[in-house]
DNA sequence: AAATAATTGACTATTTTTCTCGGATATGTG
DNA sequence: CACATATCCGAGAAAAATAGTCAATTATTT
C-alpha cells in the first residue's frame, strides 16, 4: 500500500468536511486554514475526490464542498484510493509480472498485505472516526485556533520572512 | 507504514538468503543476480540488516552472508524496520505532535493502522514464506535463470549500451 | 602475494510528492 | 449588470525521498 501524506491529507480534509458540513458547504479555504494544508494542493485532491463521486462542489459565494453521501457510507480506503490511485503493496500492481514478466519471490506476500490493509481501512467509515472522543476534541480545538484564538504553538511556528 | 521498494528489496534478499544459505554463506553478488537488485544497493541494505543482528558477514573467498538466527525466528516486520527505520503510519512517528505540537485529526487512525500492519507482518516468518509452494517454484526458476539458462524475457530485457 | 568479498562513506541521479501560479468558469448578491 | 466568491483546470517548479553509483579500505582464504 502507498500511504503517503497525500492520502493522509485527503482523509484529514474529508474528516474536516464531514465534521463541518452538516448545514452548508465548506470552502477549501477554511479547510486549508484549519488543517494547515495548502489551498492549491487541496484543490487537486478534491478534484479527484469529486471525480470519484465522494464530494460535490458548489460554486459561487456561499459555495464550497459537501459530502455526496452520508459520512457512514464513506470509508477510509476509498478516500486513499481516490487520491493515490492504488492501495497496492505489490510492485506490479497485482499483475504478477514483477520480474521479467513473471512474479517475483515476494509477490504473494505483498498481495496478502495489500488485502489486509485494504480490509482494515475499508472497515472504517468517516463517521466511525468522527464518533471518537479524541477526534471531536481535536476538531473543536482546531475551530478555535482557526478563528483567531491562536495558541502559543501557532505563534511560535510563524517563521520570520527574510 | 512506509512500504517502499527498499523494504521490499530487503525482504526479497533475505528470502533469497534463507533459501540458499543452508550450507555456505551467500554472496551479495549472487543475490544481486538472482533478484536483480544492484549490488551496491544490497550492500547498503545488508549493512543495516547486520547492525540489526539479523545476518552475519563472512569476509574473504567463500564468504558472504548468512542468517544469524533460524529462518523461523525472523519475521517480515523486523526486516522492514531494520532498513526503513520505521513502520509507522503516523506523520509524527507516534509522537502525537503532528499539528503545532498537538495531535492532528487523524493521528489515532494512523496509529491503529500501523499496529494492524505491524502485527500482520510480524506474524509471518521467513520460513513461513519459504514454505509456500509458489515461492519455492519461483526460487527454483530464478536459480536456473541466474546460472545461465536465460529465458527469452531475460534476453529481451538487456539493453544495448550506447 | 593474489583474489575474493565484506565494509564504509560520500556523492549523484531519478522519481515522487508537494506546492505554486495563472487563468477560466459558474453563481449568488447588491 | 457588475462584482465578489469559490470551484475548476493544467502546466510547471520546488522540495523531499528514494534509489543507485563510485572509490577506497579491510579482512580472509588459497
Amino acid at each position: 500500500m502507498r500511504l503517503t501524506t497525500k492520502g493522509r491529507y485527503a482523509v484529514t480534509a474529508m474528516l474536516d468536511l464531514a465534521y463541518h458540513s452538516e448545514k452548508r458547504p465548506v470552502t477549501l479555504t477554511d479547510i486549508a486554514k484549519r488543517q494547515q494544508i495548502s489551498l492549491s494542493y487541496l484543490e487537486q485532491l478534491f478534484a479527484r475526490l469529486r471525480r470519484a463521486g465522494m464530494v460535490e462542489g458548489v460554486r459561487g459565494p456561499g459555495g464550497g464542498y459537501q459530502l455526496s453521501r452520508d459520512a457512514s457510507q464513506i470509508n477510509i480506503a476509498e478516500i486513499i484510493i481516490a487520491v493515490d490511485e492504488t492501495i497496492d503493496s505489490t510492485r506490479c500492481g497485482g499483475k504478477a509480472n514483477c520480474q521479467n514478466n513473471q512474479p517475483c519471490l515476494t509477490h504473494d506476500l505483498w498481495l496478502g498485505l495489500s488485502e489486509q490493509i485494504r480490509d482494515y481501512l475499508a472497515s472504517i467509515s468517516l463517521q466511525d472516526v468522527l464518533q471518537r472522543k479524541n477526534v471531536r476534541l481535536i476538531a473543536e480545538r482546531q475551530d478555535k485556533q482557526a478563528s483567531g484564538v491562536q495558541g502559543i504553538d501557532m505563534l511560535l511556528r510563524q517563521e520570520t520572512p527574510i
Side-chain angles (χ1 to χ4, degrees), chain A:
Chain A
M1 162 156 175
R2 291 154 34 80
L3 253 192
T4 67
T5 52
K6 193 186 211 167
R8 280 197 277 267
Y9 278 163
V11 174
T12 303
M14 285 292 280
L15 275 172
D16 184 286
L17 181 56
Y19 183 79
H20 290 97
S21 69
E22 308 264 313
K23 299 174 188 171
R24 57 188 71 258
V26 180
T27 70
L28 293 189
T29 308
D30 285 350
I31 298 181
K33 264 185 212 154
R34 280 192 294 261
Q35 306 304 333
Q36 303 179 351
I37 307 172
S38 97
L39 174 60
S40 321
Y41 201 43
L42 274 181
E43 285 176 353
Q44 282 182 32
L45 298 180
F46 273 79
R48 285 170 184 269
L49 293 170
R50 187 172 49 81
R51 278 181 231 128
M54 315 175 69
V55 298
E56 279 162 18
V58 180
R59 293 183 166 194
Y65 281 95
Q66 49 198 184
L67 300 182
S68 45
R69 285 175 257 152
D70 190 81
S72 63
Q73 299 306 307
I74 299 178
N75 71 59
I76 306 297
E78 58 182 326
I79 296 175
I80 296 181
I81 291 172
V83 299
D84 250 351
E85 269 129 22
T86 172
I87 201 166
D88 215 310
S89 294
T90 61
R91 211 179 176 184
C92 46
K95 290 188 216 87
N97 57 353
C98 345
Q99 190 182 28
N100 305 333
N101 284 326
Q102 297 184 289
C104 70
L105 254 193
T106 49
H107 181 80
D108 289 349
L109 181 63
W110 307 130
L111 215 58
L113 175 62
S114 294
E115 222 167 289
Q116 191 77 10
I117 299 176
R118 183 166 31 232
D119 287 353
Y120 176 71
L121 290 181
S123 77
I124 302 175
S125 74
L126 278 182
Q127 194 177 46
D128 291 337
V129 181
L130 276 186
Q131 275 166 355
R132 297 179 189 177
K133 207 188 208 170
N134 265 343
V135 173
R136 300 201 79 86
L137 286 174
I138 294 171
E140 285 167 25
R141 186 197 85 212
Q142 291 175 337
D143 279 346
K144 283 182 201 154
Q145 289 182 345
S147 63
V149 190
Q150 295 183 347
I152 180 89
D153 296 317
M154 192 75 176
L155 293 170
L156 284 173
R157 212 167 155 278
Q158 292 174 355
E159 291 159 10
T160 34
I162 300 169

